[in-house]
Amino acid sequence: MDKTEWNRRPITERHVQALWYDGTLRPPRLRTTDGTSVHVVDPGAWNVEAGPDFRHAVLEVGAERQRIVGDVEIHLHAADWRAHGHAADPDYARVVAHVTWYAASPGRTQDGLRDRCLRICLGDFIRKRPDFSPDEIDLAAYPYARLPATPRPCEPLFARDPDLLLAVLRQAGIRRLELKARRLKTVFARTQDRAQAFYAETLAAFGYKQNAAAFRRLADRLPWSELPATREAALASLSCVAEMVVARAVSWRRANVRPANSIERRLAAAAALFAGTCPSLLVRLDACDLATRGGQQAACDVLCASRLLGKRRAAAILANVLVPLAYAEGRIDRIPDEILPEETNAVVRLTAFRLLGRDHNPALYAGNGLFLQGLLQIHRDFCLAAHPDCDRCDLLQLAAAPAPHRQATPKDN
Ligand code: SF4
């Protein structure tokens, strides 16, 4: 297959991600664009959230095999690093390798990367292989179906003991919501403005992980007390500040967002929910007993009244804002064992695959929002920190202790 034929084929960034991630596809010997040898000990964890494509990669570089640990960003073109504004984004400060399909154009030396960042043009290696076609990469199989064939240490344990799994998920979920409650308390103490804190946290929950920071900044730049009282005027103000003020400091992430979850739709929902109502909205929500399923449903109904917010997003606000708020203020004396479930997201799915294997039944956890929160916390506390090979994971020891997640706190903050 010659270069011309390769160039006609639709190589996408996801192809390059798969080629980097999968050791059976990735060329065994790589070099940087200046000729230094690179051995991939671990390609890193496939990052399904905002930020670099792979976290915590381990590379050995040069004849001395100097070990480098950090993140890896993938693009089609070398110039994309600069074009996507990563140079100024603190999320990308730990990137140690920029892996591309195409090398930089001749004469283009200013790519915006730090000097020590490795530049690897994967396309240069793959295009030399006559036996390979991008059509053979099953893109849908990444990253979940291509988890290592060896089960993670937690998988057989949880397969043998589903009750232990549920106990661990519950503890992890409680820990997550208690941490959120603690953070909310700190925010109240600092701002002395309960309605504003609620407004800011709710907007952040509107934005999913990708746009949470941008929505938080929007709430800061346009406080609820300055929102116009009518829905139309509030939407105009929110849209204007989002575009003219927030976008200058934080980029709105629009890639891979379904139309129903678009930023514009979220802004419309925010306008409908908060225009002229923030304190009275809080009064209505405070009246719901979140310790009970009926009370949780009533709170979600209040949030969904405008019909611009779906049931699952309302449940996300319930779990991420309302329950921690009620706990922080003592309106409930404990985090409820059951919370209406929000939609699963990529991190939940990835963690569930790691803990429970490829063929597990999502019904095990998807019906309880506390279990979903637990999966997110396990990802953060254990899977991220223990990578690679789960070798530094102490979840199993903690699972054997009476109250595993509450007692040991790898990242208590
Ligand atoms: S790091 Fe994650 S997948 Fe590995 S053993 Fe620990 S909990 Fe399981």
Side-chain angles (χ1 to χ4, degrees):
M1 187 174 299
D2 64 20
K3 270 188 182 178
T4 325
E5 190 172 346
W6 268 105
N7 288 343
R8 278 204 301 270
R9 287 175 181 273
I11 286 284
T12 65
E13 212 166 274
R14 195 160 169 85
H15 283 101
V16 189
Q17 289 174 326
L19 286 162
W20 173 259
Y21 182 64
D22 192 332
T24 65
L25 301 175
R26 189 178 58 247
R29 280 185 210 79
L30 292 172
R31 288 191 179 276
T32 62
T33 51
D34 64 7
T36 309
S37 65
V38 178
H39 171 65
V40 180
V41 179
D42 190 296
W46 191 307
N47 179 23
V48 289
E49 301 184 274
D53 294 299
F54 295 90
R55 296 281 196 188
H56 312 301
V58 183
L59 310 173
E60 289 178 346
V61 180
E64 314 77 31
R65 300 190 77 137
Q66 186 198 351
R67 192 163 266 232
I68 292 179
V69 180
D71 301 337
V72 174
E73 178 65 1
I74 306 280
H75 285 123
L76 281 181
H77 300 276
D80 289 344
W81 175 268
R82 186 186 284 281
H84 294 187
H86 297 325
D89 190 335
D91 238 11
Y92 290 77
R94 279 176 40 86
V95 168
V96 293
H98 186 220
V99 176
T100 60
W101 182 253
Y102 300 107
S105 312
R108 283 205 142 217
T109 52
Q110 297 297 312
D111 56 14
L113 286 158
R114 281 174 293 119
D115 284 347
R116 279 180 302 164
C117 185
L118 307 175
R119 294 150 175 87
I120 301 170
C121 178
L122 208 50
D124 280 355
F125 297 90
I126 306 276
R127 281 191 292 266
K128 289 178 190 155
R129 286 168 40 174
D131 59 324
F132 190 77
S133 160
D135 297 338
E136 287 166 19
I137 302 177
D138 177 8
L139 293 182
Y142 295 90
Y144 309 123
R146 289 302 174 111
L147 286 170
T150 321
R152 271 66 54 208
C154 56
E155 187 184 328
L157 180 74
F158 290 145
R160 275 199 311 274
D161 192 347
D163 288 343
L164 177 65
L165 167 72
L166 298 186
V168 168
L169 290 183
R170 185 170 289 115
Q171 288 293 339
I174 288 170
R175 169 172 151 74
R176 185 173 177 83
L177 297 191
E178 285 179 348
L179 286 173
K180 283 178 186 285
R182 201 183 304 172
R183 198 174 64 76
L184 278 174
K185 263 189 179 170
T186 311
V187 173
F188 290 164
R190 182 168 48 80
T191 63
Q192 301 288 314
D193 188 342
R194 181 173 184 255
Q196 174 63 18
F198 167 67
Y199 165 74
E201 293 302 315
T202 304
L203 255 61
F206 273 2
Y208 299 86
K209 181 92 180 174
Q210 299 102 305
N211 284 310
F215 268 103
R216 222 180 270 283
R217 188 171 280 254
L218 175 60
D220 186 49
R221 293 292 183 272
L222 184 58
W224 75 267
S225 54
E226 292 175 22
L227 259 192
T230 68
R231 187 188 290 195
E232 293 73 20
L235 175 57
S237 296
L238 285 165
S239 305
C240 178
V241 174
E243 199 171 319
M244 306 300 291
V245 181
V246 176
R248 285 194 190 152
V250 188
S251 44
W252 292 96
R253 296 182 202 269
R254 296 174 186 275
N256 304 322
V257 175
R258 282 179 279 149
N261 301 335
S262 70
I263 292 161
E264 289 69 25
R265 201 176 155 92
R266 292 280 170 254
L267 291 175
L273 196 57
F274 288 107
T277 69
C278 192
S280 62
L281 174 66
L282 264 173
V283 169
R284 274 180 289 149
L285 291 169
D286 286 350
C288 304
D289 177 7
L290 301 185
T292 67
R293 202 173 173 86
Q296 293 177 13
Q297 189 59 61
C300 287
D301 290 345
V302 170
L303 295 171
C304 291
S306 71
R307 297 184 189 278
L308 289 169
L309 204 63
K311 277 195 300 194
R312 296 285 184 167
R313 193 60 351 215
I317 294 169
L318 172 75
N320 288 288
V321 184
L322 298 183
V323 168
L325 182 63
Y327 183 66
E329 295 179 331
R331 282 180 288 112
I332 52 175
D333 58 6
R334 56 197 282 272
I335 302 293
D337 277 347
E338 282 192 37
I339 298 178
L340 292 178
E342 59 189 287
E343 213 169 1
T344 60
N345 63 25
V347 177
V348 163
R349 289 193 289 276
L350 180 61
T351 310
F353 269 83
R354 287 177 67 92
L355 267 63
L356 309 175
R358 297 163 201 222
D359 303 320
H360 74 269
N361 181 358
L364 269 173
Y365 53 83
N368 185 348
L370 188 64
F371 293 159
L372 300 178
Q373 294 289 324
L375 284 166
L376 292 170
Q377 193 64 25
I378 288 171
H379 171 75
R380 180 179 180 278
D381 278 354
F382 298 98
C383 300
L384 277 181
H387 190 80
D389 300 332
C390 303
D391 55 349
R392 294 191 302 274
C393 179
D394 49 4
L395 175 70
L396 304 187
Q397 290 94 303
L398 297 177
H405 233 78
R406 286 197 211 203
Q407 287 176 0
T409 53
K411 283 186 189 169
D412 222 342
N413 54 21

